[in-house]
Amino acid sequence: MAGNSFGKVFNITTFGESHGKAIGVIIDGCPPNLELDLEFIQSELDKRKPGQSKITTQRKESDTFEILSGVMDGKTTGTPIMILIPNEDQRSKDYSHIQDKYRPSHADYTYQMKYGIRDYRGGGRSSARETAARVAAGAIAKLLLRQYNIEIFAHVSAVGTIEAPNLDSDIIPKLVEVRESNIVRCADPATAKEMERFIAEVKKDGDTVGGRVSTVIQGIPVGLGEPVFDKLHAELGKAMLSINAVHGFEYGSGFEGSKMRGSEHNDIFINPQHSCNSLRTLTNFSGGIQGGISNGMDITFNVAFKPVATIMKKQKTIDDRGNEVDIVGKGRHDPCVVPRAVIIVEAMAALVIADQLLRNKVYK
């Protein structure tokens, strides 16, 4: 099965299935002598794991990881790092009723047609369970980015039609504290309460709802990104669109920029430090990227998530013999994925920036 690897220099390959014995990741290209903070890696996994609140799936996974290679005396050796995360709470019987049915808007039908076989137990590789491996790898990428004073912050900025106000992202650590103080992971407390009530109502109704995760990356140097086909925003877009349930990506002004004139949209350069190596712009409609290359301003982007496809309502579908049948969701599922997706978005962003930083070293 192709498509399991991501990154050119800082490269990851994930493995495992939702209802298999374990999932994991192999990280190749991580520089040596990087000191690993194991508590930090576990804390990142804890933000993604299931069963963490009343508005997430109640599957219970500790997501306790084990590093099997590439680390000695707490530091990376420069060789491949293998991380294993055992599965602990599979209930494959919850999926026996869909063994011969194609769930609407799931990957069941496409996997069956592509491979001639599918793992109906939780979706196999198509399950968001796989993203725990990405978060583990992303945590190591974040530790690398700390050495460059690069910070990444994401939060839930919308659930359905409920939208949080724009945030002042000058003090990211403070925003992280606010975000982690509520189960929705929205950095605006008042909006978070409204979102929580709404998700609870949707869950009670046996339905699901989508949302949006907004992200800012600070401390980015000028010059990251590889034109023409590996533009920085293209790499970020691919990373985000590879996450389960993501249906949209926009950076900077995004789609709103298409409504503006050039005289409104252009980011005017200023030179506060009187040096051509530290130019800034008065506005940031470019989202920190121009010509596919970082310009030193904050990188900003939004990621849109669709509603979870598994709902606890009766729907019409087709079975593997072509017959029209009814289907009702069973088991444990998220009514809204965005609270747990926040850390996945940060992880994938960290992997992109770590890879681009290492790729950029060939020019220096």
Side-chain angles (χ1 to χ4, degrees), residues 218-240:
Q218 295 182 331
I220 293 289
V222 180
L224 299 190
E226 299 289 337
V228 168
F229 296 110
D230 290 349
K231 290 181 169 70
L232 183 54
H233 58 277
E235 294 296 290
L236 285 168
K238 179 179 180 179
M240 300 308 144

Side-chain angles (χ1 to χ4, degrees), residues 10 25-36 38 41 66-84 140:
F10 195 102
V25 61
I26 297 174
I27 307 166
D28 201 5
C30 182
N33 293 306
L34 175 66
E35 190 167 340
L36 294 189
L38 301 184
I41 297 172
E66 182 180 4
I67 298 178
L68 303 182
S69 67
V71 178
M72 184 178 70
D73 297 331
K75 294 183 178 181
T76 59
T77 62
T79 60
I81 302 167
M82 182 178 181
I83 299 178
L84 193 70
I140 293 179

Side-chain angles (χ1 to χ4, degrees), residues 36 53 65 83 120 145 153 156 171 174 186 188 197 200 223 229-230 241-242 279 306 323 328:
L36 294 189
S53 78
F65 70 96
I83 299 178
Y120 64 88
L145 297 185
F153 173 78
V156 174
I171 310 175
K174 181 180 178 180
C186 173
D188 181 69
R197 286 193 296 266
F229 296 110
D230 290 349
L241 290 165
S242 75
L279 299 183
K306 70 167 186 172
N323 301 313
V328 179

Side-chain angles (χ1 to χ4, degrees), residues 9-10 18 32 41 48 53 56 93 119 126 140 150 155 173 180 191 203 211 215 220 230 240 265 276 319 336 342-343:
V9 179
F10 195 102
S18 175
I41 297 172
R48 193 223 67 95
S53 78
T56 64
K93 63 181 180 180
D119 188 346
S126 70
I140 293 179
I150 295 173
H155 85 120
E180 292 303 315
T191 310
K203 181 181 179 181
T215 308
I220 293 289
D230 290 349
M240 300 308 144
H265 193 270
C276 286
D319 65 19
C336 181
V342 164
I343 202 66

